[in-house]
């Protein structure tokens, strides 16, 4: 200890001793009520009234004060007259900080208290004691607080928060302590709030050494919460260790409460351990459900940067694909949040909330071991890594196990631009033909694998708008395999062959090549090559698919490779909306054939069958020849496996 430090300590002790000696001579402490009130008003501009007897007991470290009927007024802008109204109060003031002009209440006990805390729309706070209520250092420090019976109100009109709490000390427990109980109601950030709970009898407002036990349950808006555990330093939340359960109608509704961006989801429930260290919140080993999907894992939020950073590892053993609908903007059944979707629209219309994306960054890994989905959608597994940074969201990598193969690549959404810039680069690998159409008659056997690419870029604030403006390419290839002969004869409208196969049983025919190649411009998919070539027939197609208008206009023309006694060789049209597609025959050409049959029938009834007979085309076919027949260069190379087989 330096000589200067020793001298300062000695002076302090002398001052304390002088104060104690002087205080010992005071018989009636009430003489200090007016000087104290005057000093408070001079410093704060607000009145302090002490109506009860003032009792003071001095010690070496603390000064114990007891009195009653105390009021402390609010500043003029506040909605209520007084900030504090107390029937009885007892407190200890630390003496050494008081010598430095700092008021530190070690322990405060209030009985029949009414406390009103308020923040003005321009940022002033009535608990700050400078004359303008803006100096964050102009406040008293309360380390521990006990309330026998009281009411506490808090208002922040700018945030839409108005809360009223009732606090009471219940009957004593066997250990002699009297637990604190409370109820809260009002609105928090515009959302209705009700809560109730219990805790230790003394509120450890600034105690870093003694965690405060708290048990609370309540509801904020549509979010229900219950928690049980310990919090250290209630005012600063230095640390927390709580078992917490959450339940709500959508995870997105947590954003106004927590400032953390979650997607729109179906109703959810979770339970886990919430741990807080300086700048870091961790929700550990939680489990629960989102919609019909189970979910488990851990997540953390680091608040020590310019914006929060969320890191999560999530796992689902059974993911219901319908629960992902709200994430990509599909309307949720019965939802009052999403606007109604027109009956003739199927693409997700709900805009992404990009205004929130720049408020935090995120790194999320999601794996789904199995997927609950409609029978017609052959998805098996999902894995992805989501990154949100500077308002830009990326799913990279993104992989679906589908139809025995994979759909893998990346999807990127740039929310920093308006509208969103979107890009999808996906590779289709080894999709099994037999599994791709699981709702088809299982008797119509098929063998073969699809490969392909999806490369699209568009702009829009919803999935529908992005696809409606997209440019790029969609290509699928199947080179080799087998397909149901009955299915091919049905598409080719070979009536007699269809009847024969129905009676004798289906067979398999070799697939020579199948190609579906679309160029995409401003949301319109235009056919480049659309063909399926087998040993019994070849099916060519042409037309367009308008993603913006959600309409299909395709024509399919089957051509037989053998003599067929009865065939309706006519184009098939696939038209209409995505929601209500229509499949029909070209009735004009069928009518011309009918007229020809009648004319020939006048000469010889047997000749009437000639227009319904197709002659075989024995020419060979493979994907390489079909690509050459297209007479146009490829925009992008086909998938490696398909290109290799085609050569």
């Amino acid at each position: 200890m330096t000589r200067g430090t020793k001298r300062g300590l000695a002076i302090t002790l002398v001052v304390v001793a002088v104060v104690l000696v002087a205080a010992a001579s005071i018989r009636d402490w009430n003489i200090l009520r007016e000087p104290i009130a005057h000093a408070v008003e001079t410093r704060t501009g607000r009145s302090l009234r002490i109506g009860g007897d003032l009792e003071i007991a001095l010690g070496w470290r603390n000064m114990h004060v007891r009195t009653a009927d105390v009021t402390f007024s609010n500043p003029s802008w506040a909605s209520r007259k007084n900030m504090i109204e107390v029937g009885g109060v007892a407190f200890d003031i630390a003496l050494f900080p008081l010598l430095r002009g700092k008021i530190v209440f070690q322990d405060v006990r209030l009985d029949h208290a009414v406390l009103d805390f308020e923040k003005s729309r321009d940022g002033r706070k009535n608990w700050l004691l400078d004359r303008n209520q803006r100096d964050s250092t102009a406040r008293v420090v309360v380390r521990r607080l006990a309330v026998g019976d009281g009411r506490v109100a808090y208002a922040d009109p700018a945030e839409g928060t108005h809360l009223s709490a009732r606090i009471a000390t219940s009957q004593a427990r066997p250990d002699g302590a009297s637990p604190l109980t409370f109820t809260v109601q009002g609105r928090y950030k515009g959302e209705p709030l009700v809560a109730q709970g219990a805790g230790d009898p003394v509120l450890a407002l600034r105690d870093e050494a003694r965690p405060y036990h708290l048990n609370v349950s309540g509801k904020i808006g549509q979010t229900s919460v219950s928690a049980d555990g310990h919090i250290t330093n209630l005012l600063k939340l230095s640390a927390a260790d709580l078992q917490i359960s959450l339940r709500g109608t959508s995870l997105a509704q947590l954003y106004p409460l927590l400032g953390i961006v979650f997607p729109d989801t179906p109703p959810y429930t979770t339970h886990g351990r919430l741990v807080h260290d300086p700048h870091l919140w961790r929700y550990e080993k939680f489990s629960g459900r989102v919609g019909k999907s189970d979910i488990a894992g851990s997540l953390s939020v680091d608040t020590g940067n310019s914006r929060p950073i969320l890191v999560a590892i999530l796992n689902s053993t059974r993911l219901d694909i319908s629960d992902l609908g709200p994430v990509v903007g599909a309307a949720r059944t019965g939802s009052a949040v999403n606007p109604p979707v027109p009956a003739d629209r199927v693409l997700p219309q709900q805009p992404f909330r990009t205004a929130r994306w720049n408020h935090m960054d995120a790194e999320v890994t999601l794996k789904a071991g199995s997927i609950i989905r409609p029978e017609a959608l052959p998805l098996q597994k999902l894995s992805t890594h989501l990154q949100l940074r500077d308002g830009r969201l990326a799913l990279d990598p993104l992989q679906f196990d589908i139809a025995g193969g994979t759909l893998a690549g990346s999807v990127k959404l740039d929310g920093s631009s308006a509208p969103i810039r979107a890009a999808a680069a996906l590779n289709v690998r080894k999709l099994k033909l037999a599994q791709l159409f699981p709702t088809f008659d299982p008797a119509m056997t098929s063998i073969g694998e699809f490969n392909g690419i999806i490369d699209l870029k568009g702009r829009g604030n919803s999935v529908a708008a992005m696809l409606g403006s997209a440019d790029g390419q969609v290509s699928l290839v199947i080179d080799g395999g087998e397909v149901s002969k009955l299915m091919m004869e049905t598409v080719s409208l070979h009536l007699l062959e269809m009847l024969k196969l129905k009676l004798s049983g289906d067979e398999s025919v070799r697939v020579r090549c199948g190609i579906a190649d679309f160029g995409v411009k401003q949301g319109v998919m235009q056919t480049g090559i659309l063909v399926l070539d087998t040993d019994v027939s070849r099916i060519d197609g042409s037309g367009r698919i308008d993603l913006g208008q959600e309409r299909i206009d395709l024509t399919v023309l089957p051509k037989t490779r053998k003599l067929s006694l009865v065939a309706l060789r006519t184009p098939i049209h696939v038209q209409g909306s995505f929601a209500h597609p229509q499949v029909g025959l070209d009735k004009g050409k069928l009518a011309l054939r009918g007229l020809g049959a009648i004319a020939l029938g006048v000469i010889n009834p047997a000749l009437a069958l000639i227009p319904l007979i197709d002659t075989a085309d024995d020419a060979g076919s493979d994907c390489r020849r079909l690509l050459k027949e297209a007479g146009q260069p490829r925009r992008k190379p086909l998938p490696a496996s398909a290109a290799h087989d085609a050569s």
Side-chain angles (χ1 to χ4, degrees):
M1 184 179 296
T2 64
R3 179 177 299 177
T5 303
K6 292 180 180 179
R7 182 181 301 165
L9 179 59
I11 294 174
T12 300
L13 292 174
V14 169
V15 171
V16 171
V18 171
V19 170
L20 292 176
V21 171
S25 62
I26 300 177
R27 299 302 179 199
D28 184 4
W29 291 100
N30 288 327
I31 64 174
L32 296 181
R33 290 187 302 186
E34 289 301 323
I36 292 174
H38 178 73
V40 169
E41 185 171 4
T42 300
R43 181 171 180 178
T44 66
R46 297 150 68 178
S47 63
L48 172 68
R49 186 182 69 85
I50 304 174
D53 289 337
L54 189 61
E55 301 175 12
I56 298 178
L58 295 175
W60 281 102
R61 290 180 175 273
N62 299 314
M63 177 172 59
H64 182 73
V65 180
R66 180 187 298 273
T67 188
D69 190 18
V70 176
T71 62
F72 179 57
S73 69
N74 260 318
S76 58
W77 54 263
S79 58
R80 296 173 184 260
K81 179 181 179 181
N82 293 323
M83 174 180 158
I84 299 174
E85 297 176 3
V86 180
V89 58
F91 53 86
D92 291 336
I93 296 181
L95 290 177
F96 288 106
L98 190 62
L99 296 175
R100 300 193 301 269
K102 185 176 182 180
I103 301 175
V104 176
F105 293 99
Q106 299 285 37
D107 293 278
V108 177
R109 168 77 187 192
L110 303 178
D111 289 301
H112 304 292
V114 177
L115 309 178
D116 178 71
F117 301 105
E118 188 172 352
K119 184 177 178 180
S120 69
R121 291 186 178 275
D122 61 0
R124 289 176 290 177
K125 303 170 184 176
N126 72 338
W127 59 89
L128 297 180
L129 301 180
D130 62 301
R131 285 181 169 269
N132 295 316
Q133 298 86 49
R134 295 184 183 276
D135 184 359
S136 60
T137 64
R139 66 175 80 193
V140 298
V141 176
V142 179
R143 299 199 180 279
R144 290 175 294 275
L145 173 66
V147 180
D149 179 33
R151 288 177 293 168
V152 180
Y154 174 76
D156 184 352
E159 291 284 343
T161 297
H162 298 271
L163 299 175
S164 177
R166 181 66 183 263
I167 302 175
T169 302
S170 62
Q171 294 181 352
R173 297 185 302 217
D175 60 5
S178 300
L180 184 77
T181 61
F182 60 88
T183 59
V184 185
Q185 61 182 2
R187 303 190 76 85
Y188 178 73
K189 295 186 176 180
E191 296 288 341
L193 178 148
V194 292
Q196 55 281 323
D200 291 337
V202 177
L203 293 169
L205 300 181
R206 297 179 182 272
D207 196 332
E208 296 286 350
R210 182 171 55 184
Y212 180 80
H213 179 257
L214 179 69
N215 182 291
V216 61
S217 62
K219 188 173 183 179
I220 307 175
Q222 298 299 314
T223 303
S224 298
V225 59
S226 61
D228 184 44
H230 293 85
I231 296 175
T232 301
N233 193 328
L234 287 172
L235 293 182
K236 291 186 176 181
L237 282 178
S238 301
D241 191 343
L242 302 162
Q243 290 294 324
I244 187 168
S245 297
L246 291 169
R247 185 175 71 252
T249 57
S250 173
L251 285 170
Q253 294 175 351
L254 294 175
Y255 175 76
L257 308 178
L258 305 178
I260 300 173
V261 180
F262 290 105
D264 288 294
T265 68
Y268 69 93
T269 177
T270 70
H271 177 80
R273 181 189 181 199
L274 181 66
V275 180
H276 174 54
D277 298 317
H279 307 304
L280 186 65
W281 291 88
R282 305 192 309 276
Y283 194 27
E284 297 180 340
K285 298 180 180 179
F286 71 84
S287 61
R289 302 192 68 82
V290 178
K292 299 177 183 178
S293 306
D294 67 86
I295 192 74
S298 297
L299 66 82
S300 65
V301 178
D302 187 343
T303 60
N305 300 283
S306 57
R307 55 175 172 247
I309 301 175
L310 181 146
V311 178
I313 299 176
L314 308 176
N315 295 284
S316 176
T317 58
R318 289 171 59 84
L319 175 67
D320 192 315
I321 194 67
S322 64
D323 294 332
L324 294 179
V327 176
V328 297
R332 186 153 38 96
T333 303
S335 171
V337 178
N338 294 339
V341 178
D344 60 343
R345 296 283 179 166
V346 298
L347 296 178
Q349 305 279 332
Q350 184 72 7
F352 291 98
R353 303 184 186 186
T354 55
R356 299 179 174 182
W357 291 7
N358 206 41
H359 292 179
M360 64 172 285
D361 294 335
E363 298 277 348
V364 179
T365 299
L366 170 64
K367 293 184 178 180
S370 64
I371 295 179
I372 305 171
R373 37 73 176 181
E375 187 180 0
L377 190 63
L379 295 173
Q380 284 91 36
K381 296 181 180 180
L382 164 66
S383 64
T384 188
H385 178 262
L386 178 149
Q387 182 184 77
L388 177 62
R389 184 169 297 171
D390 298 328
R392 298 176 175 88
L393 186 148
L395 298 173
D396 187 12
L398 168 66
Q399 177 170 316
F400 285 97
D401 287 10
I402 176 172
T406 60
L407 174 65
S410 66
V411 174
K412 299 179 180 180
L413 305 178
D414 185 353
S416 65
S417 65
I420 300 171
R421 295 182 184 272
L426 301 169
N427 292 316
V428 179
R429 291 291 182 269
K430 298 184 177 182
L431 268 60
K432 303 297 187 294
L433 183 60
Q435 299 180 35
L436 194 58
F437 305 103
T439 58
F440 275 26
D441 186 346
M444 295 183 176
T445 58
S446 56
I447 302 173
E449 294 181 349
F450 272 104
N451 293 281
I453 55 174
I454 301 172
D455 186 8
L456 296 174
K457 294 181 180 179
R459 300 197 67 172
N461 291 329
S462 68
V463 171
M466 294 169 189
L467 292 175
S469 64
D471 296 329
Q473 175 187 1
V474 177
S475 299
L476 292 172
V477 173
I478 178 171
D479 199 350
E482 297 178 357
V483 71
S484 164
K485 184 177 181 180
L486 176 58
M487 182 173 65
M488 296 306 299
E489 300 291 14
T490 301
V491 174
S492 300
L493 298 177
H494 293 165
L495 305 184
L496 192 58
E497 293 294 331
M498 291 163 57
L499 178 60
K500 185 166 63 175
L501 290 170
K502 282 288 187 180
L503 294 175
S504 62
D506 197 10
E507 303 172 6
S508 295
V509 294
R510 183 172 68 92
V511 175
R512 298 182 176 188
C513 183
I515 301 175
D517 180 45
F518 292 87
V520 185
K521 186 70 174 177
Q522 289 297 304
V524 178
M525 299 174 60
Q526 188 73 44
T527 54
I529 309 173
L530 185 58
V531 62
L532 179 60
D533 194 6
T534 72
D535 282 348
V536 298
S537 64
R538 168 173 166 162
I539 301 172
D540 290 280
S542 63
R544 53 188 274 160
I545 301 174
D546 192 328
L547 300 174
Q549 298 300 318
E550 296 193 21
R551 299 197 65 81
I552 305 170
D553 186 6
L554 296 175
T555 300
V556 177
L557 181 62
K559 298 178 182 178
T560 186
R561 290 188 175 279
K562 66 173 186 174
L563 183 66
S564 181
L565 295 178
V566 181
L568 298 178
R569 186 181 58 191
T570 185
I572 300 172
H573 298 299
V574 183
Q575 297 174 321
S577 67
F578 289 2
H580 305 288
Q582 304 289 328
V583 180
L585 303 177
D586 192 319
K587 297 179 181 179
K589 292 193 176 182
L590 278 176
L592 290 175
R593 288 193 172 199
L595 291 173
I598 293 173
L600 289 173
V602 173
I603 302 172
N604 187 332
L607 297 179
L609 298 177
I610 292 178
L612 302 179
I613 297 175
D614 281 334
T615 57
D617 178 7
D618 294 328
S621 174
D622 58 26
C623 284
R624 183 174 58 181
R625 180 176 61 79
L626 287 177
L627 290 175
K628 289 182 179 179
E629 286 179 359
Q632 60 180 8
R634 301 293 301 155
R635 287 179 300 278
K636 282 194 174 183
L638 291 172
S641 57
H644 175 74
D645 294 341
S647 62

